[in-house]
Amino acid sequence: MKKNQTPHGVNVLAQALAATLLLAGATTVHAQWPERAVRIVVPYGPGGAVDVATRKMAQKLGEQTGQSFIVENKPGATGTIGASQVARSAADGYTLLANDTTYSLLPFIFKKLPFDHETDLQPVSAFIFAPMALVVKSEGPYKTLDDLVARAKASPNTVTYGSGGPGTTPHFAAEGLGQATGVKFMHVPFKGAAEATQAVLGNVVDFQFASTTGVMGAVKGGSLRLLAISGNQRLPVLKDVPTFAEAGVKDFGVVNWTGLWAPKGTPPEVLARLQKEIAAAMNAPDMKEFAQSMGADPRQVDSAGFARILRDSSAMWKSVSEKTGFEAR
């Protein structure tokens, strides 16, 4: 061996040590997440169920981590504009997507999506599970679900409902109700659930399907009336409102959940920390009180459970889309 020549084995050992230190350093950096503000994209307008639930969660995550979680509304194209923006973002945990059950509908709404629905976004956690409710203006002519259905039977395609757009959960829920009761409603799409709610309040449309999270404030304020809710039991906060089954419509069990996704490739350490913080948030008394006051179930599921929920939701909505004859665009 020549003088000053390093043995090959020493070189290999040095390289391995350097790689280990680099990996350890990267892990430490990821473990320190978040070190700056985190952006959560809501792909709908402000004031809807996803927006309301996400802003409450963002506030709680900020309190727990000491960093800002900023909610940005990017509405349009049934949530695909905001979703595709997040899918193209850096996979570093600083850009997240919030969405609801509508996310599992997207493959049945669009023939081609601007991102890969199965792989580009990783499900992180689902939280705040709320029943779907049929709401009308309190001062309107409909006092019960029977009133609404009877009017629709007498005058097909004249009873109108608003939604955040074609293919959204409220749209499919209303079409499912029409199938179950043998009536035909007229769909009037808007840019978001909050706009649809304003349309109900302004007598532009007759009713709306919405997550209880998005409309409970107006219901408690007396401007909206719930005619029925999905699920197997009445809400403790509104014991006079019947379930759809009690109102005569069986097997109408659509539940709306809110969840967070991260871009593909986000470090596991970051995802684990985020899941831990979401779980802690949903175990906090104020978050439980918030969810229950909105008629929602204050539970949280991890990424594996969330993935199962997405698979089950997709199977259910595939069946609904086929029965309604909805054509992907």
Side-chain angles (χ1 to χ4, degrees):
M1 182 184 303
K2 295 181 180 180
K3 188 178 181 180
N4 297 328
Q5 183 178 5
T6 303
H8 176 68
V10 175
N11 279 335
V12 172
L13 181 61
Q15 291 171 3
L17 180 60
T20 300
L21 292 173
L22 181 63
L23 178 61
T27 301
T28 300
V29 170
H30 294 326
Q32 293 173 349
W33 177 95
E35 294 182 296
R36 53 186 170 86
V38 177
R39 184 169 66 113
I40 304 178
V41 174
V42 172
Y44 311 106
V50 179
D51 185 68
V52 171
T54 302
R55 288 182 184 278
K56 186 65 177 179
M57 177 57 73
Q59 177 186 349
K60 195 65 180 176
L61 292 176
E63 293 172 0
Q64 293 175 183
T65 64
Q67 291 290 347
S68 298
F69 283 72
I70 302 168
V71 175
E72 291 186 9
N73 298 92
K74 298 289 183 181
T78 318
T80 60
I81 292 176
S84 61
Q85 182 183 97
V86 175
R88 295 191 301 268
S89 298
D92 55 9
Y94 290 96
T95 303
L96 306 171
L97 173 72
N99 211 322
D100 63 358
T101 311
T102 299
Y103 183 84
S104 57
L105 277 163
L106 295 180
F108 314 113
I109 302 170
F110 300 99
K111 293 178 181 178
K112 184 175 178 58
L113 290 168
F115 62 97
D116 190 315
H117 187 264
E118 293 187 2
T119 63
D120 281 355
L121 292 165
Q122 300 176 245
V124 179
S125 185
F127 53 93
I128 302 185
F129 292 72
M132 295 297 291
L134 191 156
V135 296
V136 297
K137 188 174 181 178
S138 293
E139 299 174 355
Y142 308 112
K143 308 301 180 185
T144 67
L145 184 61
D146 278 342
D147 293 342
L148 187 82
V149 172
R151 172 67 182 276
K153 285 182 177 179
S155 303
N157 264 326
T158 61
V159 175
T160 58
Y161 71 92
S163 81
T168 55
T169 302
H171 173 212
F172 271 44
E175 292 298 312
L177 177 65
Q179 286 187 348
T181 55
V183 301
K184 184 64 178 174
F185 302 114
M186 179 180 289
H187 181 210
V188 181
F190 295 89
K191 291 182 179 179
E195 282 193 16
T197 301
Q198 290 303 312
V200 175
L201 292 170
N203 292 317
V204 176
V205 296
D206 293 298
F207 73 96
Q208 173 194 20
F209 262 98
S211 166
T212 53
T213 309
V215 297
M216 191 61 75
V219 171
K220 289 182 176 180
S223 56
L224 289 178
R225 175 186 293 114
L226 293 182
L227 297 188
I229 61 164
S230 63
N232 300 321
Q233 58 186 5
R234 298 191 179 197
L235 297 177
V237 292
L238 290 170
K239 295 182 179 179
D240 294 334
V241 179
T243 65
F244 280 98
E246 291 173 329
V249 182
K250 306 296 183 182
D251 301 321
F252 198 79
V254 180
V255 173
N256 192 61
W257 37 261
T258 303
L260 292 181
W261 286 256
K264 176 180 65 177
T266 300
E269 298 87 357
V270 173
L271 297 177
R273 172 73 189 280
L274 183 54
Q275 288 182 68
K276 179 181 177 181
E277 294 297 341
I278 293 172
M282 292 313 302
N283 280 324
D286 58 333
M287 285 295 288
K288 288 184 176 181
E289 182 181 353
F290 165 77
Q292 291 167 348
S293 70
M294 295 294 159
D297 180 7
R299 60 188 172 95
Q300 174 265 351
V301 298
D302 61 15
S303 59
F306 193 10
R308 287 193 295 272
I309 288 173
L310 288 169
R311 287 194 295 269
D312 292 344
S313 293
S314 292
M316 176 184 69
W317 293 125
K318 180 180 180 181
S319 175
V320 172
S321 67
E322 289 173 348
K323 289 180 179 179
T324 59
F326 185 84
E327 294 186 6
R329 59 185 189 270

